[in-house]
Amino acid sequence: MSAEPTAMEAHAKAEEQARSARGAAEALQVGLLGSGTVGKAFAQLLSEREDAIASLTGRRPSVCGTLTRSSGDFKEILASCEVMIELIGGIEPARSYVLEAMRAGKHVVTANKQLLCEHGEELFDAASENGVMLRFEAAVAGVVPVIRVLTESLAGVEVKRIHGIVNGTTNFVLSAMERGADYEHALAEAQANGYAEADPHEDVSGADAAAKMAILARLAFGTPVRLTDVCYEGIEHLISDDLQYARELGLGLKLIGTAERMQGGLSVRVHPAFLYGGHPLASVGGQFNAVTVEADCITEITMSGPGAGGPQTASAVLGDLMSVMSAAEGSSPPPAPPRQPLPLLTDTDSAFYLHMEVADQRGALVAVASVLDRWGASVKSVLQRGLGENARLVMVTHPLSEASLRAAVAEIGELEFVRSPPRAIRVIEEEFA
Amino acid sequence: MSAEPTAMEAHAKAEEQARSARGAAEALQVGLLGSGTVGKAFAQLLSEREDAIASLTGRRPSVCGTLTRSSGDFKEILASCEVMIELIGGIEPARSYVLEAMRAGKHVVTANKQLLCEHGEELFDAASENGVMLRFEAAVAGVVPVIRVLTESLAGVEVKRIHGIVNGTTNFVLSAMERGADYEHALAEAQANGYAEADPHEDVSGADAAAKMAILARLAFGTPVRLTDVCYEGIEHLISDDLQYARELGLGLKLIGTAERMQGGLSVRVHPAFLYGGHPLASVGGQFNAVTVEADCITEITMSGPGAGGPQTASAVLGDLMSVMSAAEGSSPPPAPPRQPLPLLTDTDSAFYLHMEVADQRGALVAVASVLDRWGASVKSVLQRGLGENARLVMVTHPLSEASLRAAVAEIGELEFVRSPPRAIRVIEEEFA
């Protein structure tokens, strides 16, 4: 055997080879729709990484044209690109551009969760009919590769349940509230740090998370799910006390999206929920996102990372562009999951945490428990703590329907010795109780 | 617009389409080498999921032959299969079988970390020369999709650092020690639960984790790394006290693998390390594995899940098989990362935690600090606590080389008032101090 080259010689040789590969790399024209935070970050990342991509793939991507509000021409960009990247957001004109690009035989990469959520089937069909690829990793959980893992690594697995923290704004606000801030201050802090919009409604109402869970549910369960199919509840009604009690009990309180095969159907929902301390999502703080996928044969996989941010989202878009580039010329797109729609369930059973203040008098606990019992809610654990003349009563129920729970809560609120109406929050997993 | 079908009608129609797609699905012959825990679990999972896979991909995979110690003929299996799955483990005969399969134009899926670690370049070259795909997700961190995410989602990203808990046996043992068990009992518990081999040496010595980190480093940094290039240290010398102190300080103690671009080179190492409480790997308990990937443009992504187990590992193998199946006919394999080898570093600087018992007398602290200072170790934080006549002295240093640290520790051990030789453990991130 001849002497092996030293690491430095090997390095020099490899650099030389890479240089010549880059020189020979054929150009790949990329059309860019949108020039906001993510659009700008993507253009910059692509120019920083084009040498590395050229040596890895043999093709050198570059932006052949950018459409902004005030400049660029869609038809010209369409004619000159091989891959179209849509970072405009919203339904129109994004939908028309994306459909037109696919009909013209261009692969499409998009970060547009609304478009995927509301027009997913139309887009998947267009991709399939025109033999082009449609990628959208950045539409859910930013740089966290949940779309690829669900549709590729886990394509052969029967997914049982997905839990996700898929909105960074609300997770940031809840983390600040856990440290003692009230909702308004926490939201203002999120806005000051660029983690919340001036109008935060879409995030704090749970609608943004619901759209993302609809996309994940579509992929994991082959069922078309739109925003109107998702039961969602936001964080506006939470108070700092809820998080403090949670902490005392060793629980995290998060805005959790769930997509779950159950009772022969599919439940997709978003709501604040208590998680026991060891839950993989309980330690996800600040603006991070995380998704847990459960199936019998995998137990569970959890993925976490930044859910937003220009460079982070741009990285997910770049991963999709490279995925398109590395697929063989003339190959057909990987099939979308077959549609075997499950019926969508609305009122699913959950365990609930109830918290109320009552006059510290005999019979209070029994009276509350009787109301719950009448509505079919059996009590799993109780904690009563004196507060001078009053007492704080905390209960965790076994699973019951939201309708029954709401009825019981209304009735408890009418009891004469109840000082404040009960606060009810769902509990995910009951291991702590 | 005509009335939309109801969900139940759509479901029935989709089931009908899926049935006919399954009926029409062309067979895909899979050769299976090995029939141990993972081999058996894979054969079972494949037969459970073949209908779903047929309707998703249009092809129905089935095992055309299995090679065990006592039955099956490799040549026959090779002749009849399109994809070869190697679950024998170890270097030979696995290496010869895999190379022969690729030379015969068969795609290969393997879970063999030793083979990838020691013969990675030979295998990548053979795949490339023969135009076949080589997949090995299950070789590192079981069902956690770290290989796919590194080589696909993050292919365009310049990775800065990877931290991983990639050995479930040691993580299980450390979790048990954190709950108070001593090393021997914790190991016995792991063995009783099937999480440790009768001969646990490869796991507890850090060698298994080192082989896996070598594979990840190869993929993330384009640098051939073999087991002998990895500095590794195991968990045999840890005592339960180390974990108790860690807990008191709000730290986790884990066996951490690191692959890191630094000082113009690459450092790959495995050693026990303290992690501050908020580190994404600090909360990974039991037999779970987890990997964190850092790069400027992504901040960090963390993935976790079961690192071993028959069905879990089989799921990762199935994901690879489907990846091979969904790649287009006649497509070329995705290129391996180009080799641009970085020089491998050995002695890298780390912060250290030092723990010793000293006589509770004036000057002890100053004397210890002076020795550290002489070896270039500046002290970042100190905690001294009385224990009757003695005192426990805990220090965290700023980063210094292991060689300097070992020299300083030896000298401190000679000091007259030191009651027990100092225990030194690396610290990852210093945020807690």
Side-chain angles (χ1 to χ4, degrees), chain A residues 175-227:
Chain A
S175 295
M177 288 174 73
E178 200 175 0
R179 293 190 305 269
D182 62 24
Y183 175 73
E184 284 70 25
H185 282 93
L187 182 58
E189 188 189 338
Q191 287 167 325
N193 283 281
Y195 297 133
E197 307 279 341
D199 174 1
H201 177 73
E202 202 191 330
D203 292 315
V204 298
S205 68
D208 174 87
K212 292 168 180 168
M213 291 310 299
I215 296 172
L216 296 185
R218 166 71 182 78
L219 297 174
F221 301 103
T223 300
V225 181
R226 288 182 179 71
L227 187 58

Side-chain angles (χ1 to χ4, degrees), chain A residues 128-188:
Chain A
S128 172
E129 284 157 17
N130 295 285
V132 297
M133 286 179 265
L134 171 68
R135 303 278 182 194
F136 48 93
E137 184 67 80
V140 180
V143 74
V144 183
V146 56
I147 304 284
R148 190 189 292 261
V149 169
L150 263 186
T151 56
E152 301 182 16
S153 303
L154 301 179
V157 159
E158 182 169 86
V159 174
K160 199 164 66 179
R161 183 156 59 185
I162 300 173
H163 276 144
I165 294 174
V166 291
N167 180 271
T169 304
T170 47
N171 206 54
F172 183 93
V173 169
L174 293 176
S175 295
M177 288 174 73
E178 200 175 0
R179 293 190 305 269
D182 62 24
Y183 175 73
E184 284 70 25
H185 282 93
L187 182 58

